Structure formats: structure tokens, C-alpha cells
């Protein structure tokens, strides 16, 4: 039998981020407002995490509302219409419905239907996972333009009496539009996971307990803080170095460092271990926004752009890491 030859998608050589958008929870929550139930203090939280205040969503700021607004901003910044999107990816661990994916709803709201649309669950690494996928989809010819949104309403999973993680968490959505480029704009992604440490950041109990009635209390998040701290500060420095090398660069070529906004001490430790020059602009959005998981890197990028701290085209190293444990890093040219 003679088979007809199969035609594959028409690849394109390069991709880049064309525009960024970001929305934070409108409630500003200073440390003093949350220290009571955890017997902590503003001073302790600032010293150990660098967080001064976190941003939490109002009732109207549903995860879909924040995602849509961030998406619209990124499209406007990129000069791309919703109808030009071939795929919409939402990275989130706080969309409260098992199905449908938040991405399909957002795609419809922004006029992207019938774009492919799906959510990815990679926690604080989610945005960098999304950028890795968008880069691959554009270059493979599977989509002309791809929207990536990191969106979290972490406050739906906090326990005000929990000392391990709830006090660091914030809400928001950060978005990027990725499209074709004449020059390389997204370096190779170095990514991975370590499910052997799945218990380092976790949900108190499974939804199954509702069905069997053993525990009908609302599940919230917990973490083994010191374990995560060491892993993030030391193992992630290696991953970040690999991403710089994979992009054919040296640490002194990096102009901007945008790590996941987990803890100011982790950010400082990573910068030190990477040997980044003094001139590097380091994102420190955590001080005012808190840890917004998948939203933290695009939100930190949005702030740097808004404050005029970075130039278009600047080479930025971004690295996301967290529950899974999962991680991803890449060097990107800022839009
Ligand atoms: C959570 C974190 C701030 C805790 O700080 P730490 O210095 O590691 O704290 P430890 O758990 O070692 O506890 C040290 C002391 O602080 C106390 N403590 C712990 N949490 C506290 C809190 N929220 N407020 C006040 N005191 C606290 C402990 O009781 C302990 O007291 P002791 O020395 O009298 O026994 C820190 O581990 C961290 O930031 N880890 C990384 C987490 C992260 O970024 N996660 C996001 C991943 S995406």
C-alpha cells in the first residue's frame, strides 16, 4: 500500500513576548492585619520574608475577572487582537472548578474562540511552564499567537491561623502574549520536577473527604518552610545557571532578574549564587504584593515596566519554582 506523505505544521524560527499585563488584588493587607492569629509580628515577617504588605482580591475580583483583565492588558500592550490567538493557557492552582478549564472561559470573553484553551497546574512554576509551551507552540507552527496567564486567588486557600504559608500569600493575575519574532526572544527552558518532595507544599486534605464525610472543612495550604527555603535557594540557583548557559549567555549578560516572588531572602540568595553584577535590576514585587504563585513573575515584570526600571529588549532571567516540586527557568527579551 502506498501511503500519502504526511504534511506537518509549518514551523517558524523564533518567538518572543510581545506584551505584558497585570492585575493585583485591590485590598492592601499589611502585616499588622494578619499577625494576631499566628502570634507573629510585622518585624518578624519583614525580616524573614521581606513582605511588608500583600494584595488580596475583593469579592468582585474573582479569578476569572482578574484573569480577563490581565489578558486584555497584555493584548493591548502587544497590539494583538483576541481573534489572533491560536491558544490560551492559564496557569493556576486556585481555579475552583474541576472543569471546564478557566482558559476556555477567558478565551471566549476576550474574543479568542475557537482558540485552543487549557489550564496547567504547576503552581509557582506555572507561568514559566506556560511560556515554555507558548514558545514551543509558536515555533512549531501550532499557533501564531499564544496568551499565557498566571492567575491565582490564593486567599481562597488560606487559613488565618496557619503559620507556615498563609501569611505570605496574595492574589492577582499576570499575562503575556507570545508571538513570532525575527530574532530569538525566548531562550531554551530548563525545567523539571521532583515529586519525591510532593509533601513540601501541600493541601491539608483531599476533596474526597467531602464525599466520604470524614472531613468537610475547607482544605487550605501548608508548607515545610525550611525545606522549601533550602531547595529554592540552592537547587534553583543551579537551574537558573543552566538556563543562562542554554541561552548562550554568561551571568554578566543578564540585565534583569525576575525570580518567583516567594521570599526576599531566597531572591537575595539566588542573586548571590548566580554572581549577578550589581547593575542587574532585580524584581522585588514581593514586598508589596506577597507571593501570588503563578502570577508572581508576570506581575513583577509588569511592575518593573510600569516603573520604567527596564528597557524593551532587556535580557531577563526568569525562574519559577514551587509545589510539586516543579520548576522552570528561561532567559527572555523583555517586550
Ligand atoms: C516560612 C518561613 C518564612 C519560615 O521561616 P524560618 O526562618 O524557616 O522559620 P522556622 O520554621 O525555621 O522557624 C524559626 C522560628 O520562627 C517561628 N516561626 C515560624 N513561623 C512563624 C511565623 N509565621 N511568625 C512568627 N514566628 C514564626 C518558629 O516557631 C521558630 O521559633 P523558635 O526558633 O522559637 O522555635 C521560611 O521558611 C520560608 O520563607 N521558606 C520558604 C517558603 C517559600 O518561599 N515558599 C513559597 C514556595 S513557592
Amino acid at each position: 500500500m502506498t501511503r500519502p506523505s504526511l504534511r506537518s505544521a509549518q514551523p517558524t524560527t523564533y518567538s518572543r513576548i510581545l506584551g505584558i499585563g497585570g492585575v493585583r488584588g485591590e485590598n492592601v493587607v499589611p502585616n499588622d492585619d494578619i499577625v494576631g492569629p499566628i502570634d507573629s509580628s510585622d518585624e518578624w515577617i519583614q525580616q524573614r520574608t521581606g513582605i511588608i504588605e500583600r494584595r488580596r482580591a475583593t469579592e468582585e475580583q474573582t479569578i476569572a475577572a482578574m484573569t480577563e483583565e490581565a489578558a486584555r492588558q497584555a493584548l493591548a500592550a502587544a497590539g494583538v487582537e483576541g481573534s489572533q490567538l491560536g491558544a490560551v493557557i492559564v496557569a493556576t492552582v486556585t481555579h475552583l472548578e474541576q472543569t471546564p478549564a478557566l482558559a476556555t472561559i477567558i478565551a471566549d470573553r476576550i474574543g479568542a474562540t475557537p482558540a485552543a484553551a487549557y489550564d496547567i497546574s504547576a503552581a509557582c512554576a506555572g507561568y514559566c511552564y506556560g511560556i515554555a509551551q507558548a514558545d514551543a507552540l509558536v515555533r512549531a507552527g501550532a499557533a501564531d499567537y499564544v496568551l499565557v496567564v498566571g492567575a491565582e486567588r490564593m486567599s481562597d486557600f488560606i487559613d488565618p491561623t496557619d503559620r507556615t504559608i498563609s501569611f505570605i500569600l496574595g492574589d492577582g493575575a499576570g499575562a503575556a502574549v507570545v508571538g513570532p519574532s525575527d530574532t530569538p526572544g525566548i531562550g531554551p527552558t530548563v525545567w523539571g520536577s521532583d515529586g519525591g518532595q510532593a509533601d513540601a507544599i501541600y493541601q491539608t486534605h483531599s476533596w474526597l473527604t467531602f464525599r466520604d464525610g470524614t472531613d468537610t472543612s475547607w482544605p487550605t495550604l501548608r508548607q515545610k518552610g525550611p525545606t522549601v527555603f533550602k531547595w529554592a535557594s540552592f537547587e534553583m540557583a543551579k537551574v537558573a545557571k543552566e538556563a543562562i548557559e542554554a541561552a548562550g549567555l554568561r551571568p554578566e549578560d543578564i540585565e534583569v532578574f525576575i525570580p518567583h516572588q516567594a521570599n526576599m531572602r531566597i531572591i537575595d540568595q539566588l542573586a548571590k549564587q548566580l554572581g549577578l553584577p550589581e547593575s542587574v535590576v532585580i524584581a522585588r514585587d514581593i514586598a508589596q504584593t506577597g507571593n501570588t504563585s503563578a502570577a508572581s513573575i508576570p506581575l513583577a515584570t509588569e511592575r518593573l515596566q510600569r516603573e520604567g526600571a527596564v528597557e524593551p529588549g532587556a535580557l531577563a532571567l526568569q525562574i519559577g519554582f514551587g509545589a510539586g516540586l516543579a520548576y522552570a527557568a528561561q532567559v527572555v527579551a523583555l517586550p
Side-chain angles (χ1 to χ4, degrees):
M1 168 191 165
T2 342
R3 292 198 174 96
S5 62
L6 190 63
R7 191 190 298 156
S8 72
Q10 194 60 44
T12 183
T13 316
Y14 304 122
S15 75
R16 69 185 180 96
I17 297 174
L18 301 167
I20 296 276
V23 174
R24 290 167 177 76
E26 282 167 14
N27 286 330
V28 178
V29 181
N31 290 337
D32 278 337
D33 284 12
I34 59 159
V35 293
I38 55 171
D39 186 23
S40 190
S41 67
D42 175 39
E43 193 192 0
W44 192 95
I45 294 176
Q46 286 206 38
Q47 261 178 14
R48 302 287 177 122
T49 70
I51 297 172
I52 296 166
E53 59 200 20
R54 74 278 299 127
R55 302 291 294 264
R56 299 233 169 117
T58 60
E59 214 169 304
E60 294 74 42
Q61 288 184 296
T62 61
I63 190 161
M66 292 191 291
T67 306
E68 179 184 345
E69 199 182 330
R72 288 188 188 281
Q73 286 182 15
L75 286 168
V80 169
E81 299 291 331
S83 57
Q84 292 175 269
L85 295 171
V88 173
I89 301 171
V90 177
T92 183
V93 289
T94 49
H95 172 47
L96 288 172
E97 281 141 44
Q98 211 75 48
T99 201
L102 179 56
T104 61
I105 292 159
I106 300 308
D108 197 51
R109 288 193 189 178
I110 62 175
T113 302
Y118 56 100
D119 294 354
I120 53 178
S121 171
C124 309
Y127 174 74
C128 292
Y129 266 58
I131 293 295
Q133 292 195 4
D135 167 50
L137 292 174
V138 169
R139 287 188 301 106
D144 286 342
Y145 295 93
V146 180
L147 173 73
V148 178
V149 192
E152 304 286 10
R153 207 165 185 279
M154 302 306 289
S155 57
D156 286 334
F157 286 93
I158 62 173
D159 171 354
T161 67
D162 159 47
R163 285 183 128 199
T164 71
I165 194 166
S166 299
F167 68 102
I168 71 175
L169 301 174
D171 303 330
V177 174
V178 174
S181 171
D182 295 335
T183 52
I186 299 177
T189 297
V190 176
W191 58 348
S193 69
D194 178 7
Q197 299 198 71
D199 62 352
I201 305 172
Y202 58 99
Q203 183 174 311
T204 48
H205 48 284
S206 155
W207 303 110
L208 281 173
T209 64
F210 280 81
R211 197 177 61 188
D212 62 27
T214 51
D215 189 345
T216 53
S217 64
W218 185 253
T220 52
L221 301 179
R222 295 291 184 277
Q223 72 169 339
K224 294 178 179 167
T227 304
V228 177
F229 189 94
K230 278 184 220 121
W231 173 77
S233 303
F234 299 102
E235 298 307 314
M236 292 304 99
K238 296 176 200 162
V239 171
K241 275 183 195 157
E242 281 178 44
I244 296 173
E245 275 167 29
L249 301 171
R250 297 160 305 165
E252 50 271 39
D253 299 321
I254 299 299
E255 295 161 81
V256 189
F257 181 41
I258 314 175
H260 168 47
Q261 304 290 295
N263 179 312
M264 200 71 87
R265 286 159 57 223
I266 295 175
I267 295 172
D268 289 336
Q269 189 56 244
L270 286 174
K272 188 173 146 196
Q273 294 202 44
L274 289 170
L276 296 178
E278 284 289 304
S279 58
V280 170
V281 174
I282 300 179
R284 297 184 181 283
D285 186 39
I286 186 162
Q288 277 80 34
T289 305
N291 177 342
T292 55
S293 191
S296 92
I297 292 174
L299 283 179
T301 311
E302 180 274 337
R303 175 187 288 270
L304 292 176
Q305 285 189 326
R306 182 164 35 86
E307 293 180 346
V310 292
E311 286 173 13
L315 294 176
L317 167 65
Q318 53 184 29
I319 178 165
F321 47 82
L325 298 170
Y327 56 88
Q330 63 258 125
V331 179
V332 300
L334 291 180

